[in-house]
Structure formats: structure tokens, C-alpha cells
């Protein structure tokens, strides 16, 4: 024992001042991190027993962390040098990505005018409190599946599986917040269809039937079940918080029976007819309409739309369809070359069938533009289950809380729930299609745009870099 003690004293005396400073900083960071992670779950403080190991890296150096630096073979030394750098980077990225922030790229136009296709976001996980991962053994920066060039397959191991727990944050999602969350209907997906609007199993099941899906695996792909933290990431605007009553009547959102004023970025699809001139690409671009959202309707289709939907459209005039905000519509209405502007009715495109919308029940006749009323469940709240509200809340009990719900009995919600919608109201896959978002699906809050790529024109949108994401 005296020999070890003398050796320890010698190592401590030989340690340079810079090493002591680095040791103090990293030990303080480690202690603070463990206390934060252990908050409310104090058994995790046992990780503090590894503090001497952290100190050993800088002071005593009993563990030969850098043994490879003694390798004399230059080629082998170079290989281990790269391995050491890569391992350190992966470990650092793993913890940063889990507990502090992550990158998110806007893939669609559901929040167009607020967040645009090609925007890269810095998403703060600390804002709402970082989640302890359900699947801790996973590859950093890969959500659920390795790319094909790496062989495909799952990027995570399902066991061990940790229960949902959220670390202390700065608050909860509020109305008007833009929020990144895991896709609620992404617990069960058809892998060949998950990039499409109806790619989740529940929507496909409602429209085509479960047996049809399983009988055509070549078309739909394997039906895969994923844990919460391995589901696709979505970004939408929070419209209703726990306890809020939400209803949509003819596109107007009502919260607690009061009309919710549209955010300036909210837009709807419109049929636009001119007096005879054709709208140029330059005109459309100046108006603020993206190429992907701009559509031209031929004469035969205009005739069919006018007849089937009873709309005052003239088949002989140039007709277009694209989304506009209130300000864009007012600007276009003032143009003398515009004959008429009509908001797209929900019957256009066949989006009136209740089975396509939450709660996927034909007895609940809710649609894209006329939805609810529905009250956002609040954690600890107890309701009496009736035949009417059973259809509305059944999925919450079965898929998110894994508790039985029976008509005639009381049910107490285990989590808070939020209503998320895209600003591009007629082109957004949001809560109207899969219902309230559980708190355990909340990932974080976008803070700013760190890069913006214009995929239509090419190049970088320099004016958007380092601008606020919450607008």
C-alpha cells in the first residue's frame, strides 16, 4: 500500500499546472452534467463514482489512455491517431446531440414563409429539457436507418430501452412556438412509403386496409415499429397547449371558443384566374411563390372544377393554383390583370374523407378545414369516457400511454399533449392527420438558421443565415 501511495504522490507532484487546470475544468463539467442528468432520478448520481477516472486522464494517468502514441511504426501510428480522433468526435457528438442541440433541415414547405425548404436549423434541446434517450445505444447523427452505402439497417439497438424522462429545461412549449418533435404516427411505418404523405401505417390502413398492405409488401415495404426517439423528426407551429379546446371551422382556428389570429406566415391555397395574360416565372417569384408550390390548370380541368365544385371559374381564362399569405393575396388582388381569387375548397383533391384524418374513425366526421372540437389532454387530468370521446382519445391511451381505456369508466392522462400545425395550412401533414403530440415526442425548439440553401435557384440564401427561427 505504501508503494502505491508513494507512486501516487510522485505522479501528482510531476503533474504540470496546465494539466491541473484541465483536470479541474473537466471534473467540474462532469459533476455538473451528472447532477443535471440525475435530476429527479438520484440513483444516477452513482456515475459520480467515475470522477477519479476523469481525474486520472489528466493527473495520475494510471490508465494508459494514449498508449498508441508510443507506436514507432509511422503508418500504424497514423491509423491509431485517426481512430482516436474519430472516437473522440463521435462520443462528443453523441452527448451534444442527445442533451444540448442538434441540426435539423427543413424538407418540405409546410412552414413556408416562416421556414423555407433548404433551411438548416440549430435546435435547442435544453429549452424544453432534453430527453433521456429511449435507445441509448445508437449511432450519432443517424435517426433510425443507415444510408444504403453503409449497408442500410437499423442505426440503433433496441435493448436496453429506457423509459421516458425529461431533464430540467427552461419551460414548456407555448402557443406560437415552432417545435421540433418526433412524428407521432411514425411508431408504425411502411418503409417504402414513409417519405410520402400517406406513408404511415395508420393512414394507409384507413384507405387501403391492413390485409392489402401485408399482401403487397413489395409495394409498401416491411411494416416497421420504432421507439419514440427513433421516429422521424417533424417541425410545426404549436397552436394549442394542454387544457386548450381547439376547433377549426371553415379554415378558421378557434382556441377556447375564441378565433386564433393567423400568424403572418400562414397561407392557404387559392385558384387564381387572370383577365387573359399568363403569369411569368419572374412575376410568381417576385410575389414569393416557390416553383414547387406553383401549379397551372388546363382548360378541361378548370371546366371540371367549376362544374363539380360550383366555383365561378371561366375555363377560357388562364388559371393557376398556389398558396398565398394574407399580404400576398391583398397584393395580388390589387393587380388589374387578376380576374378572380378563390380559396381552394377542401373537396378539391378529395380531402373530405374523415377516415384520412384523426381519429381515423368514420363516426367522427372531421376534415382538413372543419375539425373538432377537441380538448388537449393535460397530465393528471381525469375524464369520463363516453361513446363520443372514446374514438377521440383511444389512440392516446393505446399508442402513447399503453393503458386500457373503456367506455363508462374514468381515465387519467399520464402526459401533456400539444396541437401542431403547419403555416402552409393546405399543404401540411400535421395534427389534423395524426392528432395531439405527446410531451415525450417533443425534441426541442429551433433557435436560428445557420445555413440556407436555395434548391430552386441554387446557391446560398445569405440573408437568412443566423436569422431567428421563431417568427
Amino acid at each position: 500500500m505504501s508503494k502505491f501511495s508513494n507512486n501516487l504522490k510522485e505522479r501528482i507532484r510531476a503533474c504540470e499546472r496546465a494539466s491541473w487546470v484541465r483536470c479541474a475544468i473537466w471534473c467540474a463539467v462532469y459533476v455538473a452534467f451528472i447532477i443535471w442528468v440525475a435530476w429527479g432520478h438520484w440513483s444516477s448520481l452513482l456515475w459520480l463514482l467515475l470522477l477519479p477516472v476523469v481525474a486520472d486522464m489528466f493527473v495520475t494517468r494510471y490508465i494508459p489512455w494514449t498508449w498508441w502514441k508510443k507506436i514507432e511504426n509511422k503508418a500504424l501510428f497514423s491509423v491509431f491517431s485517426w481512430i482516436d480522433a474519430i472516437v473522440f468526435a463521435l462520443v462528443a457528438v453523441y452527448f451534444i446531440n442527445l442533451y444540448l442541440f442538434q441540426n435539423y433541415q427543413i424538407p418540405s414547405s409546410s412552414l413556408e414563409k416562416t421556414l423555407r425548404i433548404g433551411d438548416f436549423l440549430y435546435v435547442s434541446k435544453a429549452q424544453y429539457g432534453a430527453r433521456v434517450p429511449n435507445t441509448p445505444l445508437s449511432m450519432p447523427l443517424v435517426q433510425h436507418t443507415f444510408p444504403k452505402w453503409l449497408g442500410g439497417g437499423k442505426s440503433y439497438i433496441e435493448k436496453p430501452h429506457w423509459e421516458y424522462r425529461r431533464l430540467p429545461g427552461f419551460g414548456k412549449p407555448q402557443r406560437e412556438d415552432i417545435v421540433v418533435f418526433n412524428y407521432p404516427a411514425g411508431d408504425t411505418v411502411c418503409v417504402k412509403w414513409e417519405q410520402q404523405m400517406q406513408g404511415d401505417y395508420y393512414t394507409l390502413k384507413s384507405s387501403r386496409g391492413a390485409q392489402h398492405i401485408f399482401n403487397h409488401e413489395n409495394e409498401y415495404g416491411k411494416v416497421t415499429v420504432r421507439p419514440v426517439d427513433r421516429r422521424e423528426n417533424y417541425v410545426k407551429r404549436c397552436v394549442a397547449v394542454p387544457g386548450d379546446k381547439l376547433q377549426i371551422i371553415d379554415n378558421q382556428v378557434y382556441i377556447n371558443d375564441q378565433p386564433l389570429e393567423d400568424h403572418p406566415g400562414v397561407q392557404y391555397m387559392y385558384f387564381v384566374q387572370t383577365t387573359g395574360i399568363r403569369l411569368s416565372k419572374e412575376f410568381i417569384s417576385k410575389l414569393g411563390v416557390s416553383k414547387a408550390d406553383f401549379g397551372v390548370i388546363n382548360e378541361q380541368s378548370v371546366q371540371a372544377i367549376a362544374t363539380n365544385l360550383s366555383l365561378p371559374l371561366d375555363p377560357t381564362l388562364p388559371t393557376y393554383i398556389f398558396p398565398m399569405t394574407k399580404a400576398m393575396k391583398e397584393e395580388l388582388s390589387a393587380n388589374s390583370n387578376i380576374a378572380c381569387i378563390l380559396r381552394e375548397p377542401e373537396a378539391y383533391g378529395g380531402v373530405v374523407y374523415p377516415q384520412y384524418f384523426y381519429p381515423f374513425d368514420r363516426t367522427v366526421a372531421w376534415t382538413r378545414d372543419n375539425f373538432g372540437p377537441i380538448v388537449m389532454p393535460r397530465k393528471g387530468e381525469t375524464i369520463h369516457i363516453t361513446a363520443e370521446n372514446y374514438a377521440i382519445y383511444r389512440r392516446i391511451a393505446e399508442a402513447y400511454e399503453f393503458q386500457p381505456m373503456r367506455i363508462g369508466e374514468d381515465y387519467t392522462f399520464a402526459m401533456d399533449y400539444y396541437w401542431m400545425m403547419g403555416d402552409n395550412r393546405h399543404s401540411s401533414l400535421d395534427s389534423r392527420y395524426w392528432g395531439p403530440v405527446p410531451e415525450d415526442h417533443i425534441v426541442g425548439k429551433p433557435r436560428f438558421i445557420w445555413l440556407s440553401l436555395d434548391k430552386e435557384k441554387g446557391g446560398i440564401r445569405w440573408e437568412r443565415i443566423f436569422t431567428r427561427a421563431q417568427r
Side-chain angles (χ1 to χ4, degrees):
M1 187 68 180
S2 59
K3 184 177 180 180
F4 173 80
S5 178
N6 292 334
N7 182 266
L8 178 62
K9 290 178 181 179
E10 290 178 4
R11 288 172 179 263
I12 291 176
R13 280 196 296 267
C15 184
E16 298 178 354
R17 180 178 296 180
S19 296
W20 279 107
V21 172
R22 288 195 296 270
C23 177
I25 292 173
W26 278 104
C27 284
V29 170
Y30 181 76
V31 170
F33 176 74
I34 295 301
I35 292 175
W36 182 44
V37 171
W39 198 271
H41 201 263
W42 302 113
S43 61
S44 297
L45 288 176
L46 291 174
W47 285 99
L48 289 176
L49 295 176
L50 293 179
L51 189 60
V53 176
V54 178
D56 179 72
M57 298 173 64
F58 302 95
V59 180
T60 53
R61 303 180 190 273
Y62 276 106
I63 301 175
W65 302 99
T66 58
W67 61 269
W68 55 271
K69 291 186 177 181
K70 297 180 180 180
I71 297 176
E72 296 182 358
N73 185 298
K74 291 184 178 180
L76 197 58
F77 180 88
S78 180
V79 169
F80 276 97
S81 178
W82 274 104
I83 292 175
D84 180 77
I86 291 172
V87 170
F88 178 81
L90 286 176
V91 171
V93 167
Y94 176 82
F95 282 99
I96 291 172
N97 196 57
L98 276 182
Y99 296 105
L100 297 178
F101 68 86
Q102 74 175 62
N103 169 60
Y104 180 78
Q105 180 184 359
I106 299 296
S108 69
S109 61
S110 67
L111 280 169
E112 193 72 20
K113 301 296 175 288
T114 304
L115 297 175
R116 305 184 66 179
I117 296 174
D119 284 348
F120 288 79
L121 308 178
Y122 167 94
V123 179
S124 169
K125 291 191 170 183
Q127 177 64 34
Y128 303 132
R131 295 176 302 180
V132 173
N134 301 124
T135 51
L137 300 181
S138 61
M139 177 59 67
L141 304 179
V142 183
Q143 183 62 17
H144 50 69
T145 306
F146 285 112
K148 291 182 179 179
W149 59 273
L150 284 178
K154 292 181 179 179
S155 63
Y156 60 95
I157 299 174
E158 296 193 27
K159 293 184 179 180
H161 181 92
W162 294 348
E163 294 302 317
Y164 165 66
R165 184 164 65 88
R166 191 175 291 276
L167 305 182
F170 297 103
K172 295 184 177 182
Q174 303 296 316
R175 290 195 211 110
E176 293 297 308
D177 278 2
I178 295 177
V179 181
V180 173
F181 55 93
N182 294 116
Y183 180 35
D187 60 336
T188 309
V189 297
C190 301
V191 293
K192 289 186 178 180
W193 277 60
E194 64 178 314
Q195 299 302 320
Q196 303 185 41
M197 189 172 180
Q198 296 182 340
D200 67 86
Y201 171 76
Y202 304 103
T203 305
L204 288 169
K205 178 184 174 183
S206 297
S207 60
R208 309 191 182 195
Q211 197 60 48
H212 175 81
I213 295 171
F214 286 102
N215 288 343
H216 295 80
E217 188 172 310
N218 290 337
E219 179 183 355
Y220 299 103
K222 185 179 179 181
V223 176
T224 300
V225 177
R226 293 184 180 135
V228 172
D229 62 338
R230 294 298 139 198
R231 298 168 193 173
E232 290 287 351
N233 288 326
Y234 272 49
V235 59
K236 306 289 178 184
R237 189 179 297 278
C238 181
V239 173
V241 297
D244 281 348
K245 173 187 174 184
L246 175 137
Q247 189 170 13
I248 304 173
I249 302 175
D250 192 23
N251 289 294
Q252 175 63 58
V253 177
Y254 291 83
I255 301 296
N256 301 323
D257 298 319
Q258 299 298 315
L260 180 69
E261 184 178 353
D262 280 347
H263 186 273
V266 168
Q267 53 185 355
Y268 301 92
M269 295 294 289
Y270 292 92
F271 293 114
V272 177
Q273 279 197 329
T274 70
T275 56
I277 68 166
R278 299 196 177 276
L279 300 181
S280 66
K281 292 181 180 179
E282 292 76 17
F283 179 86
I284 291 299
S285 178
K286 186 177 180 181
L287 183 64
V289 180
S290 66
K291 187 189 300 182
D293 288 335
F294 180 72
V296 181
I297 307 177
N298 60 43
E299 185 175 329
Q300 292 79 9
S301 296
V302 174
Q303 180 64 64
I305 292 170
T307 302
N308 297 333
L309 302 181
S310 301
L311 294 179
L313 294 173
D314 186 343
T316 65
L317 296 178
T319 306
Y320 308 88
I321 183 170
F322 50 85
M324 289 188 290
T325 63
K326 181 180 179 181
M328 292 166 64
K329 180 175 178 290
E330 290 175 352
E331 178 185 345
L332 195 62
S333 298
N335 191 312
S336 59
N337 293 314
I338 301 302
C340 72
I341 301 175
L342 301 173
R343 181 180 287 182
E344 174 199 283
E346 60 183 357
Y348 180 74
V351 289
V352 295
Y353 302 107
Q355 65 267 30
Y356 293 154
F357 298 89
Y358 184 84
F360 316 116
D361 193 306
R362 295 174 187 270
T363 65
V364 183
W366 295 349
T367 61
R368 184 192 70 181
D369 299 343
N370 293 276
F371 198 101
I374 177 174
V375 177
M376 298 302 107
R378 183 190 288 118
K379 182 178 180 179
E381 181 182 14
T382 300
I383 64 171
H384 186 71
I385 303 303
T386 65
E388 289 75 23
N389 63 23
Y390 174 75
I392 298 172
Y393 296 117
R394 177 182 58 187
R395 174 166 169 77
I396 287 176
E398 293 178 351
Y400 306 140
E401 302 189 352
F402 308 105
Q403 297 293 332
M405 177 181 282
R406 300 181 181 91
I407 296 175
E409 297 181 0
D410 290 342
Y411 183 86
T412 301
F413 294 104
M415 290 188 288
D416 286 331
Y417 290 80
Y418 302 84
W419 192 262
M420 307 292 183
M421 293 183 71
D423 288 351
N424 198 349
R425 292 288 166 79
H426 287 168
S427 300
S428 173
L429 180 62
D430 53 36
S431 282
R432 291 169 293 181
Y433 294 85
W434 25 256
V437 176
E439 66 172 75
D440 68 341
H441 283 56
I442 302 296
V443 173
K445 183 176 183 178
R447 282 301 188 182
F448 62 83
I449 300 165
W450 64 269
L451 177 65
S452 184
L453 301 178
D454 192 331
K455 295 187 177 181
E456 289 187 3
K457 300 177 182 178
I460 299 174
R461 302 187 189 102
W462 294 102
E463 73 281 2
R464 295 185 64 80
I465 294 180
F466 295 119
T467 58
R468 292 178 63 249
Q470 299 287 328
R471 284 173 284 170

